[in-house]
Structure formats: structure tokens, C-alpha cells
Amino acid sequence: MATSELPDGAAVSQTPKPKLFIRTFGCQMNEYDSAKMADVLAASDGYTRTDQPEEADLLLLNTCSVREKAQEKVFSELGRWREWKSARPGRQVAVGGCVASQEGEAIAQREKLVDVVFGPQTLHRLPALLSTTRATGRPAVDVSFPEIEKFDALPEPRADGPTAFVSIMEGCSKYCSFCVVPYTRGEEVSRPLDDVLVECAQLAEAGVREITLLGQNVNGYRGAMRGGGTCDLALLIHYVARLDGIQRIRFTTSHPLEFDDGLIEAFADEPKLANYLHLPVQSGSDRVLKLMKRNHTADVYIDKIRRLRAARPDIALSSDFIVGFPGETDADFQATMDLIAEVRCDSAFSFVYSERPGTPAANLRDGVPPEVKKQRLSILQARIQQLSMEYCRGLVGGTYPVLVERASRRGNGQMAGKLSNNRWVNFDGDERLVGEFVDVTVSEALSNSLRGRLAGAEATA
């Protein structure tokens, strides 16, 4: 136990703050939730984060059920933690996130080292759950859906650099046949407009310059407004853009059904809205889209992108694709490739289909051989990579505003930041530029990033 000296020389014992290690699987929403878990635990019990699990008093696994073999990955990770748990009496292990929501008590029953199991909507109850299991000696489980309560219980937002995520809604009500999100995060629930704006304003005061608005179906946002009425995502973007200090706005993840005229107009009218859109389509085949219960056609998607490009001709477009959905034929896959050629996605998240227990698609007969799925995925990814390089090479020679986020992982005195189109660029610069917008001239397009040089006054400073 550490001690410190008072002015009269008396020694006072100081209990060291407990340490927290968090391992996060999955999407940006999970990264956001992990940060909020750390904030809750810091406010309640003084936890400080560590990147060394062997030092931690609490090992926390924040899980994702979207990727293949999600449950197996969770139990594999927990298996590696057994030795750390047994090495220190009193050390606790907690499992949160979507797999926790899906599996519930089964996690603690299968892995006896787990003390707490909690869902995405109950992360604010984590301190109480940890206290309960310490008092009873039995696992504490809470995977309920208390709607928007968690946001009311969270500590004030804390800035960690010039960019920040702000969750504006939870859950999804689309029930695509392949997706577990509605079952693990619940139905769509939107935060009131004022609550979102207060959080954004607090982050801006703390030095945040770019905000990403988050939701499982973010363009389904319908926030209650003071005095009545409802705010949609397009209107929210305009409100956030008016906040002092906020210079760039992003949002993710969207569904084509609710990517409406208002959002297209926002891209046309709001210069602070980033020059980038992630709009998952999953397939270019109407037959497969119907099986997926996406409730839109390929032509509807293509029309929305055409109108978007009329509003922002140089916008960067990202999408999601599932290859080898049950019953996908060669013609279905070709329809997906045709859609990619039409809309010219310059980046994408693409995966071979894998079933999720409890989803309707899990009951479909999967007649696509694994080797065919892998071949199709390889063809699709090669085409996306080709389009990505074409897009990036088109940036060479241009000068763009870049928000400097950190020192480059390349080292050598380089800094790294993002263009409005979500592309990372590395360039020679000073660490004092972090948090500033600077003009950078792109000099080279690489496979995963850009190289550039400072332009204008910053180059000679």
C-alpha cells in the first residue's frame, strides 16, 4: 500500500486504483460502448485502464455476434484468461456485448471464471453487478433491454483526441433474415435531440472537432424534440453543424430504406458533412435481397446512389457484401458484381455468409459449396481493391483539408490524419498539429493509405 506525506510529516495510506483491461470485438458501436464502460467504472470505483491484462483487477470482454464463430472466439479468449483469474484472488471477469446478450447465463454456466454477464443496454449497471457477485459469490447476469435508460446513467462524455463517437440510437427493427442485432440489442430506440446536442457540445468544448453519429440503423433516428415533434438524421446533422468547434460530421451505419431525400439534400447543402457514405447493400440480386428480407431492390439502391452522386460528385462510397448466401447462384453473384460496377464502391466490408443461430436464414438450405463461396469472395474483393486504387490515384496531386489525429504508425516524424473521404494520409509534420485541420497535398496512393506533404503556411512553419 502506497503512502504520502502530509505537511506535518504524518503518513497517510493510499489505496492504489484498481486497473481495468478491456478486449473489444466488433464494430464502432462496440468501441463506443467499451469507452463508456471504462467511464462508468472510473466514476464509480476509480478504475484506470491498462493494456496489460496480467495487471488488471477486472478483465472485461466486450463481444460481437456479427462475425463468424463469434461464440467460439469468446470462449477461446476466456480460456486464455483462466490462468490470470486464478493467479490473483479477487480478480473479476465480466463479459458484455452482443454475444453476452444472446447467450446470457449460459456463458457463466460454461465458464466458471465469469463473474458478470451483461448486455449492451445494461453496461451502466456494471458497477452494481460487480458488487453483487462479490457479495454473493455467484455470477450476476443482466441482459435485459431497458431502452434508453443507459444514456441517462452514463457519466459526462470525455474527449480522447480530436474525434469522437456519439451514439444517437440503439437497436434495429429491420429484422434482416441473416442478422442477430435485433435480438441482441433490441428494437430501435432514439435518444432525444437535446441529449444528443448536449453531448456533442460538451465534446466540442473538450477539443473534439469531428463527430461520428452512431447507430445500428443510424438513418432511422427519430429523436423527440422539446415542445413536440421528431428530429430525423438530416435535421440532426444540421443542428450539430451549428455547434461551435465542430468542423466535420460523419454517420454510420445506414440502411438503404431510410436513406432518403433529406439526407441527399444534407450532402448537397451541408459542407461539414464528410464526403463519405457507408451504405450496406449486401447483394445486387433482387432474389437474394428478398431472401435476406432487405425490403429494397438493387435498382432502388442504385437510384439512391445516382442521386447522391449528383449532389456530391466526388463522394467516397463504402458498402457491405455477403457472398454465398444460401441458394446464391452464379447469376446472383454476377448481379452483385454488376451493381459494384454501376455504383463504383471504392471500399467495402465483405464476408462469406455464415449462419447465426436463431435467425430466419439459419433455416435456409445452403447449397453453395465452400470453395465456390471463397472464390466469389476473392473475385469481389479484388474488384473492390481495383476500384479503391483507381479512386485513390485520382486524389494524387490534389490538396485537401486533413484533421490531424495522431503520430503516424510509420514513425520517422510523420503525422497521420483523415481526409473528408475517410482516407488516411501520412505526411511529415509536428505533433503540435494534432487536433488541427491542415491542408495536405496528396503525393502517392498506396494500398491502404495515402502519402502527402503539408501545403501552404503549415509547410513552412
Side-chain angles (χ1 to χ4, degrees), residues 88-351:
R88 181 185 299 178
R91 173 176 277 162
Q92 292 184 292
V93 172
V95 180
C98 292
V99 173
S101 179
Q102 190 173 10
E103 299 295 316
E105 292 183 3
I107 292 176
Q109 291 172 356
R110 177 171 166 179
E111 274 293 355
K112 302 304 181 183
L113 79 159
V114 175
D115 299 288
V116 171
V117 180
F118 63 102
Q121 302 288 53
T122 53
L123 66 87
H124 60 292
R125 299 175 181 173
L126 185 52
L129 292 169
L130 291 167
S131 295
T132 296
T133 192
R134 280 194 293 265
T136 65
R138 296 190 301 272
V141 179
D142 187 348
V143 292
S144 59
F145 296 108
E147 294 193 344
I148 217 72
E149 173 194 306
K150 90 172 184 184
F151 292 104
D152 296 331
L154 293 177
E156 289 192 359
R158 178 177 51 85
D160 185 19
T163 66
F165 296 125
V166 174
S167 181
I168 66 172
M169 65 176 297
E170 284 277 351
C172 183
S173 302
K174 295 297 176 285
Y175 289 93
C176 298
S177 67
F178 56 84
C179 185
V180 299
V181 168
Y183 310 101
T184 58
R185 285 187 176 262
E187 296 267 330
E188 293 170 6
V189 181
S190 296
R191 295 177 67 188
L193 170 64
D194 283 356
D195 290 2
V196 174
L197 293 180
V198 167
E199 182 171 345
C200 291
Q202 290 173 330
L203 289 167
E205 289 175 3
V208 169
R209 294 295 169 258
E210 175 184 298
I211 281 178
T212 300
L213 305 173
L214 286 181
Q216 270 77 35
N217 176 35
V218 71
N219 53 356
Y221 175 75
R222 300 293 184 270
M225 301 176 71
R226 191 189 325 168
T230 301
C231 177
D232 64 7
L233 179 60
L235 181 57
L236 174 61
I237 288 167
H238 291 302
Y239 275 122
V240 174
R242 303 287 81 80
L243 296 174
D244 290 340
I246 300 301
Q247 295 173 262
R248 184 183 285 166
I249 303 166
R250 303 182 188 275
F251 62 88
T252 196
T253 293
S254 301
H255 193 289
L257 281 180
E258 288 164 317
F259 188 77
D260 56 19
D261 291 343
L263 279 170
I264 292 174
E265 290 170 6
F267 276 102
D269 301 335
E270 182 49 70
K272 290 185 180 181
L273 184 55
N275 202 33
Y276 169 82
L277 173 67
H278 180 67
L279 189 63
V281 64
Q282 308 300 355
S283 175
S285 162
D286 288 346
R287 192 184 70 84
V288 173
L289 289 171
K290 187 174 182 179
L291 289 171
M292 291 178 169
K293 296 186 178 179
R294 295 289 286 171
N295 295 319
H296 66 83
T297 65
D299 283 345
V300 166
Y301 183 90
I302 290 169
D303 179 65
K304 290 176 186 283
I305 299 304
R306 284 174 179 162
R307 289 189 286 127
L308 173 65
R309 291 202 186 278
R312 284 275 187 100
D314 58 344
I315 193 167
L317 177 65
S318 173
S319 193
D320 289 353
F321 295 96
I322 294 174
V323 174
F325 192 77
E328 182 188 68
T329 65
D330 288 342
D332 293 325
F333 176 68
Q334 185 57 51
T336 297
M337 297 302 296
D338 292 343
L339 181 143
I340 291 171
E342 175 72 25
V343 302
R344 297 188 67 81
C345 301
D346 52 83
S347 62
F349 297 97
S350 52
F351 310 94

